[in-house]
């Protein structure tokens, strides 16, 4: 995304009083939808008010291949079914290939290009579900046993892909499969985490440093069910789930800011609706709405969730409301609601930490890459 577009979205967020603007539902499109060249899709503009209405390619060969991938190199084996293993390569079909930053940038660009073209999903972007894929493949980490995390991409297999918390993520995996087919040298583990980075950056979010080095693993490494947060629960549950990964209260609240993006679906989590009016633009509106709006328990046949009083078009989960009901959580909600740059800086750091949990990198932290958004 262009710097100008990002600045516009931030200024609009800061200068528009959230509660008063919620009541005016007729001017949203005119005020906050930018041209395609700025926001890259007319369906993905910023708004602060309501608008009523796998399989493996078989190219990684044995333990040696896994070791090479972990060191940043990839072992190629052409079984006759692949004629072009890497766009722009020297045509390697067998041997060791060590990708450069430029190679990773090409993968990023392909993900971003597909995000731009495939704008018929949910609210106009696959971006939020790519963030969810990166989050869920990383959030299974257990610091006590050093198991789970993004190293492995074990969500490719049952039973992990069938865990209730992962319902609907086949959409993200299917979206990423053509990218893996075009760049078969990258592991799914690296690809999925890069997809989350790309989605955040392309949706006006902060720059997320990223590094490769994850290895794909087999079905034996699938994690047990129950390691991801349950939106129906409250603060004790949040601290248990995130504490298992090594996160403190501040980091829990910062990561929760990803709820600025996307929505819930009744056929997945059972919950329904978006958290914000602009579910394809990264902002601090999630925190501003938590504090500034009044929330009532929704009367419906689904699980307990909260509904905003003003527009009745937004929702919050019990875990979201826990962030303002708990005084230790709430002080961070207040900080992020007040200053989106503070939120972006702390979200960036905790997102890097999440994506790297349990990964046995051969590289150093200073070797992280800054992948550039599409202009």
């Amino acid at each position: 995304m262009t710097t100008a577009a990002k600045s516009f979205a931030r200024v609009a967020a800061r200068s528009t009083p959230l509660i008063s603007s919620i009541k005016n539902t007729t001017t949203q499109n005119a005020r906050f939808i930018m041209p395609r060249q700025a926001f890259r899709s007319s369906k993905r503009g910023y708004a602060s008010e309501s608008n009523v209405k796998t399989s493996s390619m078989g190219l990684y060969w044995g333990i040696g291949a896994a070791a090479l991938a972990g060191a940043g190199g990839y072992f190629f084996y052409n079984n006759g079914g692949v004629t072009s293993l890497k766009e722009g390569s020297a045509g390697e079909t067998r041997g060791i290939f060590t990708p450069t930053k430029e190679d990773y940038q090409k993968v990023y660009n392909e993900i971003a290009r597909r995000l731009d073209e495939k704008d018929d999903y949910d609210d106009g972007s696959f971006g939020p579900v790519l963030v969810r894929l990166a989050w869920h493949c990383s959030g299974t980490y257990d610091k006590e046993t050093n198991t789970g995390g993004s190293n492995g991409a074990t969500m490719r297999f049952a039973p992990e892909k069938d865990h209730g918390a992962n319902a609907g993520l086949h959409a993200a995996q299917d979206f990423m499969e053509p990218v893996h087919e075009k760049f078969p040298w990258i592991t799914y583990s690296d690809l999925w985490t890069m997809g989350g980075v790309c989605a955040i950056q392309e949706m006006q979010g902060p720059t997320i440093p990223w590094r490769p080095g994850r290895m794909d693993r087999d079905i034996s490494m699938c994690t047990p069910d129950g390691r991801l947060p349950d939106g129906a629960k409250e603060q004790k549950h949040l601290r248990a789930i995130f504490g298992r990964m090594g996160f403190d209260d501040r980091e829990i609240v910062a990561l929760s800011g990803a709820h600025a993006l996307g929505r819930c679906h009744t056929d997945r989590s059972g919950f329904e609706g978006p958290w914000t009016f602009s579910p394809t633009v990264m902002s601090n509106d999630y925190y501003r709405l938590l504090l500034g709006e009044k929330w009532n328990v929704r009367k419906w046949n689904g699980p307990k969730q909260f509904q905003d009083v003003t527009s009745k078009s937004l929702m919050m989960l019990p875990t979201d409301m826990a962030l303002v009901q708990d005084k230790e959580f709430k002080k961070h909600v207040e900080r992020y609601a007040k200053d989106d740059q503070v939120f972006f800086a702390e979200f960036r750091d905790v997102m890097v930490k999440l994506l790297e949990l349990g990964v046995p990198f051969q590289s150093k932290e200073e070797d992280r890459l800054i992948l550039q958004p599409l202009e």
Side-chain angles (χ1 to χ4, degrees):
M1 296 299 175
T2 63
T3 301
K6 291 183 178 181
S7 298
F8 177 87
R10 307 284 139 62
V11 170
R14 289 193 295 267
S15 62
T16 305
L18 217 62
I19 303 308
S20 61
S21 65
I22 287 172
K23 299 177 182 179
N24 182 357
T25 63
T26 61
T27 60
Q28 177 255 330
N29 288 337
R31 293 169 61 190
F32 294 111
I33 300 299
M34 291 288 284
R36 181 177 179 84
Q37 63 268 28
F39 269 81
R40 305 180 57 78
S41 170
S42 62
K43 296 182 180 180
R44 284 176 269 161
Y46 175 84
S48 61
E49 60 192 39
S50 173
N51 184 15
V52 179
K53 41 165 195 219
T54 168
S55 64
S56 172
M57 292 292 290
L59 299 176
Y60 305 101
W61 203 19
I63 297 174
L68 288 169
Y74 296 84
F75 185 90
F76 285 115
Y77 175 69
N78 188 348
N79 62 6
V82 178
T83 57
S84 178
L85 292 179
K86 169 180 170 288
E87 182 184 83
S89 73
E92 300 97 332
T93 57
R94 189 180 180 93
I96 298 173
F97 161 62
T98 302
T100 64
K101 179 181 179 180
E102 288 70 28
D103 293 311
Y104 289 112
Q105 185 67 57
K106 289 178 181 178
V107 180
Y108 178 102
N109 292 348
E110 180 66 12
I111 299 170
R113 182 190 67 79
R114 286 180 56 77
L115 283 173
D116 188 34
E117 292 182 354
K118 307 292 183 181
D119 61 357
D120 56 350
Y121 181 80
D122 261 6
D123 297 288
S125 176
F126 273 88
V129 77
L130 293 192
V131 176
R132 183 170 167 242
L133 175 64
W135 207 114
H136 282 219
C137 75
S138 304
T140 58
Y141 182 67
D142 183 342
K143 66 180 182 181
E144 298 301 324
T145 61
N146 196 32
T147 58
S150 65
N151 192 49
T154 50
M155 203 192 301
R156 290 171 295 150
F157 311 111
E160 189 171 338
K161 71 177 181 179
D162 298 324
H163 290 169
N166 294 330
L169 284 178
H170 65 276
Q173 294 185 46
D174 291 347
F175 177 92
M176 296 294 276
E177 191 59 32
V179 182
H180 191 267
E181 290 175 357
K182 188 170 184 178
F183 302 96
W185 49 267
I186 191 169
T187 63
Y188 282 100
S189 306
D190 277 343
L191 181 64
W192 289 358
T193 53
M194 184 195 289
V197 168
C198 178
I200 290 167
Q201 295 187 171
E202 297 298 317
M203 290 188 292
Q204 323 300 313
T207 299
I208 310 292
W210 175 90
R211 55 176 162 162
R214 298 163 187 81
M215 299 175 288
D216 289 338
R217 296 183 175 184
D218 62 27
I219 191 173
S220 67
M221 301 303 293
C222 283
T223 56
D225 201 359
R227 287 194 176 186
L228 293 167
D230 181 347
K233 298 185 179 180
E234 298 178 345
Q235 50 263 54
K236 182 178 180 180
H237 170 76
L238 285 175
R239 288 192 171 100
I241 291 292
F242 285 88
R244 189 205 67 234
M245 292 183 264
F247 293 115
D248 60 24
D249 284 357
R250 180 185 62 83
E251 293 170 316
I252 292 171
V253 179
L255 277 175
S256 297
H259 281 177
L261 304 171
R263 63 171 57 237
C264 289
H265 304 77
T266 55
D267 61 343
R268 299 177 188 179
S269 64
F271 302 104
E272 180 182 57
W275 288 269
T276 72
F277 293 121
S278 298
T280 60
V281 177
M282 190 73 179
S283 72
N284 67 338
D285 278 2
Y286 168 73
Y287 304 107
R288 297 174 69 201
L289 285 160
L290 265 175
L291 292 173
E293 183 55 275
K294 292 182 179 179
W295 300 91
N296 288 336
V297 175
R298 180 182 176 183
K299 296 179 181 179
W300 72 316
N301 293 326
K304 180 181 178 181
Q305 67 177 65
F306 295 82
Q307 183 179 68
D308 73 296
V309 171
T310 305
S311 74
K312 295 182 171 57
S313 63
L314 302 178
M315 70 98 210
M316 291 287 173
L317 304 174
T319 46
D320 298 313
M321 298 307 296
L323 301 185
V324 291
Q325 294 165 350
D326 184 286
K327 65 178 183 179
E328 293 302 317
F329 285 152
K330 187 176 181 180
K331 65 184 182 182
H332 299 297
V333 173
E334 292 171 337
R335 288 195 306 114
Y336 298 148
K338 183 179 179 179
D339 192 331
D340 62 347
Q341 294 306 306
V342 170
F343 163 53
F344 272 28
E346 296 187 18
F347 178 81
R348 174 201 62 213
D349 293 344
V350 75
M351 194 68 187
V352 170
K353 178 177 176 178
L354 173 69
L355 298 181
E356 295 189 352
L357 290 174
V359 182
F361 289 110
Q362 301 297 314
S363 60
K364 299 178 181 179
E365 292 183 1
E366 53 265 33
D367 295 326
R368 291 176 180 137
L369 307 177
I370 301 297
L371 298 169
Q372 298 299 317
L374 284 185
E375 294 295 336

